[in-house]
Amino acid sequence: MDITYRFAEEKDAALILEFIRDLAAYENLSGEVVATEALLREWLFEKRAAEVLFALAGGKEAGFALFFHNFSTFLGRAGLYLEDLYVRPEYRGRGIGRGLMKKLAQIALERGCGRLEWSCLDWNRPSIDFYLALGARPMSEWTVYRLAGDTLRRLAFE
């Protein structure tokens, strides 16, 4: 199967939202998706806060990766942070996920980034095994913390 890649364009906002919703359903988090096409257009294409890379199989979008730059003070340079990686079920097992990760690694190196990082749900064994097979290692000494919604507003305005 011929796999090609392309960066998303503003006209892809509905397709990006479809991938996000499919990923959320897979992760049993559908109720947390509040993104809209308008928000994606604003944040991805007007503010350029993140980028989306599609993997195409036979000309059809089979998978996507949404990523953005972060910064490592220790390395003194940017890195790429992979927020979402999703391959549609009918395309799994064909190297599409690996291909997307390879493209992200290439982008990171082309841009002079020092690392490529992401988070994975601790119950998602298929993804964990996939990442380990790529040579990735878990950062077990680190814990992710989050402020969102009311707790974020409370801190901001206390």
Side-chain angles (χ1 to χ4, degrees):
M1 178 184 336
D2 185 33
I3 307 298
T4 57
Y5 304 90
R6 72 172 181 87
F7 282 97
E9 301 173 22
E10 190 169 349
K11 66 181 180 176
D12 294 312
L15 180 60
I16 295 166
L17 185 56
E18 182 180 317
F19 270 98
I20 291 168
R21 287 179 175 152
D22 288 349
L23 172 62
Y26 172 77
E27 293 179 338
N28 299 312
L29 297 170
S30 293
E32 294 190 27
V33 177
V34 297
T36 64
E37 289 179 43
L39 281 171
L40 292 174
R41 277 193 293 278
E42 176 185 356
W43 285 93
L44 296 176
F45 302 105
E46 293 170 25
K47 295 183 178 182
R48 300 193 175 277
E51 300 173 69
V52 173
L53 182 67
F54 287 114
L56 290 82
K60 291 191 67 168
E61 289 80 2
F64 94 128
L66 189 147
F67 65 98
F68 54 87
H69 286 270
N70 58 12
F71 191 83
S72 168
T73 54
F74 288 8
L75 295 179
R77 65 169 108 179
L80 287 187
Y81 187 84
L82 173 62
E83 179 68 22
D84 289 330
L85 177 73
Y86 183 76
V87 176
R88 290 184 165 153
E90 63 269 28
Y91 293 101
R92 292 182 189 154
R94 301 182 191 184
I96 293 170
R98 182 177 179 78
L100 280 165
M101 293 299 289
K102 181 178 178 177
K103 286 298 281 186
L104 290 172
Q106 291 169 351
I107 291 167
L109 292 177
E110 287 167 5
R111 295 180 183 183
C113 296
R115 55 174 72 144
L116 171 59
E117 296 178 307
W118 61 93
S119 296
C120 183
L121 291 167
D122 59 6
W123 59 259
N124 192 345
R125 195 75 233 173
S127 293
I128 292 168
D129 291 342
F130 168 70
Y131 296 137
L132 292 173
L134 294 176
R137 294 292 164 246
M139 303 291 294
S140 56
E141 65 276 11
W142 293 88
T143 301
V144 176
Y145 290 87
R146 176 178 295 163
L147 288 171
D150 289 340
T151 56
L152 179 63
R153 280 186 282 285
R154 194 168 30 257
L155 178 61
F157 298 110
E158 65 180 11

